[in-house]
Amino acid sequence: GFDGIYLDRVDVYAEVGKQCPDAERKMVEFVARLAAHARKRDPHFIVILQNAEELVRHAKMMDAIDAIAKEDLFYGADHSQNANSAGTVAESLGHLKAVKAAGRPVFVVDYLTGEQKKADAKRRIGEQGFIPYIAPRDLGKLWLPGKDF
C-alpha cells in the first residue's frame, strides 16, 4: 500500500566493513532487490536514498533510485553547525551531481539555526540545482517557511 520508500541509514554498510568486507556490494544489491520487488507490484514505486551518495557510482544503485537526499552537505557533518571541509563537500558534490545529471532530484537537508548559515546553505544548495530543506536537528519538529525553530 505504499507509493515509495525513503531509505535512511544505507550508509551503515561502511560501519560493518570489518565484519563484512563485502558490505558495500551487499547494500547495493539489497537496495536494487528492494526496488525491483516493489516495482513488480507498482511500477511507479519511488525509492529515495538518504546519504550513502558514494554508492551511486554503482550503475545498479543509480538504476534503483528515483532521487537522493543528502544530510549535512555544507554544514554539520560532525553534528555541529560548523562548515564541512572543502574536500568533504567536493566529494559529496561529485556524486550528487551525477545523480542530478541522470535526471533525478537531489534533496539536501542541512540542520542549521543561525540566519546567516541558513541563508548561505540555501544559496549554495540552490546554486547546485538541488532542492534545499533547512531544518532543526530535532526531527520531531517540522520547519515551515516564516517560522523560527
Side-chain angles (χ1 to χ4, degrees), residues 48-99:
I48 301 174
L49 179 68
Q50 172 140 320
N51 300 323
E53 63 275 8
E54 66 280 359
L55 295 181
V56 301
R57 68 178 177 261
H58 298 278
K60 191 174 269 192
M61 180 63 85
M62 187 70 87
D63 291 343
I65 65 169
D66 298 286
I68 191 166
K70 171 65 180 161
E71 292 176 295
D72 303 315
L73 177 59
F74 293 110
Y75 291 94
D78 61 357
H79 289 194
S80 72
Q81 291 194 28
N82 296 325
N84 296 336
S85 73
T88 299
V89 172
E91 183 176 345
S92 289
L93 282 176
H95 300 302
L96 298 173
K97 286 178 181 180
V99 174

